[in-house]
Amino acid sequence: MENRILIAKRVAQELEDGDVVNLGIGIPTLVANYIANDKQVILHSENGFIGLGPAGETTDPDLSNAGGQPAGILPGGATFDSAMSFVIVRGGHLDATVLGALEVDQEGNLANWMVPGKIVPGMGGAMDLVVGAKRVIVAMEHVGKGGVPKIVRKCTLPLTASQEVDLIITDLCVFQVTNPGLLLTEIAPGVTLQTVREATAADYIISPDIKEMAV
């Protein structure tokens, strides 16, 4: 299974029936395609609508998501201006947000918007989302270019938010962010603890109940 699909499928399991959720661009956007049919999850897009539909049959050429990709809207969805959209975010009405990351550290700090010296398109709504949502899920590939770990002891890139991340889901494993530190709770099929260790530059605890990721 492609890594991005594995991550999206595992994230979809975290969403509960009735949740209002914002999905970031990239891997998080794919999550919409894997939400179980028996769950009604309302997807919010910070550019101004709720009721985002999965890619494919609901796509409307006149609609785009916050990443500028074609999107669809489900029956009962609504569109509104950016002011209303950020009232939803800042007012604490999102049950969860799912974002990618450049770095996330063992204290739950998140860096996902710029690399100094490189062109930056802008932070978008990330800073508001990670502070306003009740739960923050990072969905990303475990390492960056050249195998550089993205889960680190301390973020070196400019932060998006401090100590707001609750869960990290990668193509190798799942970490919960807890008070004692990162807790390794699941590993992906075919992945060993040694592989996770070599690809992670953070300290973490291995849960006594660790299990294989079911996707």
Side-chain angles (χ1 to χ4, degrees):
M1 184 185 303
E2 182 187 343
N3 288 347
R4 291 160 55 91
I5 302 301
L6 180 144
I7 297 166
K9 284 186 171 184
R10 180 59 189 83
V11 171
Q13 297 172 12
E14 293 294 319
L15 308 184
E16 301 291 337
D17 189 35
D19 278 355
V20 180
V21 179
N22 182 287
L23 301 178
I25 60 175
I27 293 173
T29 302
L30 299 175
V31 174
N33 300 327
Y34 300 105
I35 298 172
N37 292 331
D38 60 351
K39 294 180 182 177
Q40 185 177 15
V41 176
I42 301 170
L43 299 179
H44 165 273
S45 183
E46 64 264 34
N47 60 320
F49 64 98
I50 57 172
L52 183 75
E57 60 190 45
T58 64
T59 300
D60 184 329
D62 293 324
L63 287 174
S64 68
N65 62 25
Q69 301 165 317
I73 191 166
L74 297 174
T79 61
F80 33 76
D81 61 17
S82 293
M84 174 60 75
S85 185
F86 278 85
V87 165
I88 292 172
V89 175
R90 295 171 183 172
H93 303 292
L94 293 180
D95 295 293
T97 185
V98 184
L99 308 95
L102 297 169
E103 287 180 337
V104 58
D105 70 25
Q106 62 193 43
E107 297 177 358
N109 299 316
L110 171 67
N112 80 340
W113 70 287
M114 74 169 294
V115 175
K118 295 192 175 182
I119 295 174
V120 180
M123 183 178 283
M127 184 179 288
D128 294 272
L129 287 163
V130 294
V131 173
K134 297 181 179 74
R135 192 172 187 222
V136 177
I137 300 171
V138 168
M140 65 177 188
E141 292 187 285
H142 203 95
V143 298
K145 292 181 179 177
V148 176
K150 298 170 72 175
I151 302 174
V152 295
R153 289 187 175 88
K154 195 74 173 179
C155 288
T156 59
L157 297 173
L159 291 185
T160 305
S162 174
Q163 298 183 329
E164 293 289 347
V165 175
D166 298 295
L167 191 69
I168 306 166
I169 297 176
T170 77
D171 50 316
L172 297 186
C173 65
V174 177
F175 283 115
Q176 292 180 10
V177 183
T178 68
N179 284 332
L182 294 181
L183 181 65
L184 178 63
T185 59
E186 298 178 30
I187 56 175
V191 172
T192 66
L193 290 174
Q194 181 64 23
T195 300
V196 173
R197 178 70 274 168
E198 292 173 354
T200 307
D203 298 324
Y204 59 86
I205 305 161
I206 300 175
S207 170
D209 300 318
I210 189 169
K211 61 184 180 181
E212 184 174 283
M213 196 186 295
V215 290

